[in-house]
Amino acid sequence: MKNLSISLISSLALLAFSAQAKADISVDNAWVRATVPGKTATGAFMTLKSDKATQLVGGTSPVAGLVEVHEMLMEGDIMKMRAIPALKLPANTPVELKPGSYHVMLMKLKTALREGETVPIKLEFVDASKNKETIEIKAAVKPLTEKSGHEHHQH
Amino acid sequence: MSIISTKLKSGRWQLVLLATFVALSLSLAVAWQGLWNHQETIPFKAASLENADFGRAWPVDAGVVDHHGQARSLSDFRGKVVLLFFGYTQCPDVCPTALHRATQLMAALGQDAEKVQVLFMTLDPQRDTLEVLSHYVPAFDPRFIGLRPQPGAVADLARTFQVFYHINTGSSPDTYTLDHSATTYAYDLHGKLRLAIRHAAAADEVTADIRRLLNE
């Protein structure tokens, strides 16, 4: 009986611990740039916020063969773009994935993405203690010519 | 006698006054002219490439074709102000942003937009087939033309136009990305390379510069 209660308490504690360890991650304004037939990659943009420090490490999507986290930066008038292993999300700090900065790159697209559709994407996060978390989002497909996700609000 | 001499004297003074006046007017005119010329040379917002010894034409063996597959040279567009941008369609933001700015320019120019030709040259002919280019480039504006060099000719072409590009290997052979110059070149009505427009330049700055080229 004593053993049972100890194991019960410890499993409850473990449960409580793991519940606490799980970060609460919010995803806002997720959108994807529309593509044209034959174009096999596009960027997904959004604002991520986590209540605990974690990292976005990648993802999956039924429309893409490969999902990576990419970084874009300007050096003088040269645009540099590459895959990065992880994007850090500090606790309670919104991180904007936007044109001219970070984005989730959907590669090896299986189909053209048209304006008005939504694209499901599972985003994968891993924190410093190797806790994994997956969040499924639905990103709206915006026109090819979209400059940023907020453009329409600025006018 | 004294009357005559006085008259002569006053005549001489008048002459001196007149000469001074003429000299002053001349120097004012010269100064004004200088000021005027000075104003004439300043207004371009983009970097001026007056004496550029590059980017006159693409190498003949680059085999550049438009998105319909027709062979094209830069001189085909003489008589128009040409905006030339180098990029690739998988580029998630710089290229669409540059093309979007070009659509804003066309809208701002109104009727004069007919005298402007926007060209998008891919640095990634491997993946940017004519099919992709024919869907992608006119999606911004049906008047825009996509250009594609032969896959083996990109390095030579880029060198000829002083365009930097670098291929970053991806996690699989077909998922590489490109670093590249985001500068747009502007050619005047005579086909001369005139301006290097920075990626950060706003649409209204570009419009002002292009208007100036159109009014020359």
Side-chain angles (χ1 to χ4, degrees):
Chain A
M1 183 63 197
K2 199 183 171 188
N3 272 353
L4 181 70
S5 61
I6 285 174
S7 75
L8 193 70
I9 287 165
S10 58
S11 33
L12 273 174
L14 200 67
L15 256 176
F17 178 74
S18 57
Q20 200 179 16
K22 204 169 185 191
D24 186 8
I25 302 166
S26 68
V27 182
D28 287 311
N29 301 319
W31 66 280
V32 169
R33 194 184 297 282
T35 66
V36 294
K39 183 161 139 56
T40 58
T42 194
F45 307 91
M46 65 202 76
T47 304
L48 296 172
K49 192 177 164 188
S50 171
D51 65 340
K52 293 184 180 62
T54 187
Q55 298 183 76
L56 172 66
V57 294
T60 55
S61 172
V63 301
L66 185 68
V67 177
E68 292 180 343
V69 185
H70 280 205
E71 180 185 26
M72 188 285 238
L73 52 103
M74 295 297 295
E75 274 183 24
D77 215 25
I78 291 169
M79 183 276 296
K80 299 199 161 185
M81 196 181 71
R82 62 209 61 215
I84 53 170
L87 169 62
K88 283 188 175 135
L89 301 183
N92 295 312
T93 311
V95 174
E96 221 181 325
L97 282 73
K98 59 181 179 186
S101 178
Y102 299 104
H103 51 269
V104 171
M105 194 73 173
L106 307 178
M107 305 175 99
K108 296 189 172 190
L109 290 172
K110 294 162 187 168
T111 172
L113 307 178
R114 295 179 198 287
E115 186 187 349
E117 296 174 352
T118 54
V119 175
I121 306 169
K122 277 184 182 159
L123 298 172
E124 290 163 7
F125 301 86
V126 175
D127 70 12
S129 328
K130 307 275 179 217
N131 289 311
K132 285 185 188 169
E133 198 168 337
T134 303
I135 288 179
E136 180 159 3
I137 62 159
K138 290 210 185 328
V141 181
K142 295 206 176 182
L144 188 60
T145 52
E146 187 78 4
K147 204 176 167 198
S148 86
H150 303 289
E151 192 180 32
H152 297 306
H153 306 294
Q154 285 171 354
H155 291 290
Chain B
M1 250 322 252
S2 69
I3 292 169
I4 292 169
S5 92
T6 312
K7 263 190 179 167
L8 260 176
K9 242 186 189 170
S10 79
R12 202 177 293 153
W13 274 114
Q14 274 173 357
L15 208 68
V16 169
L17 267 174
L18 187 73
T20 314
F21 178 74
V22 168
L24 261 174
S25 320
L26 267 174
S27 55
L28 261 174
V30 167
W32 175 250
Q33 186 76 23
L35 203 68
W36 185 256
N37 282 342
H38 188 58
Q39 282 179 342
E40 280 281 294
T41 54
I42 280 180
F44 282 122
K45 289 171 178 69
S48 187
L49 295 174
E50 283 308 326
N51 300 306
D53 58 353
F54 63 92
R56 292 200 178 115
W58 33 82
V60 189
D61 52 5
V64 174
V65 294
D66 65 21
H67 64 249
H68 300 294
Q70 192 189 333
R72 288 293 198 167
S73 71
L74 252 181
S75 56
D76 292 350
F77 308 104
R78 205 152 290 173
K80 286 187 172 189
V81 164
V82 169
L83 287 174
L84 175 63
F85 182 80
F86 294 80
Y88 68 119
T89 71
Q90 302 218 351
C91 170
D93 56 47
V94 161
C95 307
T97 304
L99 285 167
H100 177 70
R101 186 179 64 190
T103 64
Q104 290 175 306
L105 163 76
M106 296 300 266
L109 287 176
Q111 288 272 311
D112 289 339
E114 298 306 322
K115 286 181 265 169
V116 172
Q117 182 60 59
V118 175
L119 302 175
F120 177 87
M121 175 82 78
T122 180
L123 292 167
D124 185 15
Q126 210 86 36
R127 291 182 299 195
D128 287 342
T129 58
L130 293 184
E131 192 214 354
V132 175
L133 286 173
S134 68
H135 284 114
Y136 183 82
V137 181
F140 291 88
D141 185 311
R143 295 168 289 191
F144 292 2
I145 295 177
L147 296 171
R148 181 179 182 268
Q150 287 304 303
V154 177
D156 198 20
L157 177 73
R159 208 175 306 119
T160 308
F161 283 82
Q162 295 197 0
V163 166
F164 168 87
Y165 81 106
H166 174 77
I167 296 171
N168 303 304
T169 331
S171 54
S172 64
D174 52 350
T175 59
Y176 55 90
T177 64
L178 258 66
D179 296 346
H180 66 87
S181 309
T183 307
T184 299
Y185 288 133
Y187 292 78
D188 64 20
L189 296 165
H190 311 289
K192 194 164 177 277
L193 177 53
R194 296 289 299 277
L195 303 173
I197 302 166
R198 293 179 59 241
H199 180 63
D204 53 350
E205 290 177 36
V206 179
T207 305
D209 279 354
I210 299 308
R211 265 198 202 291
R212 258 209 67 190
L213 285 181
L214 285 169
N215 291 331
E216 276 179 354

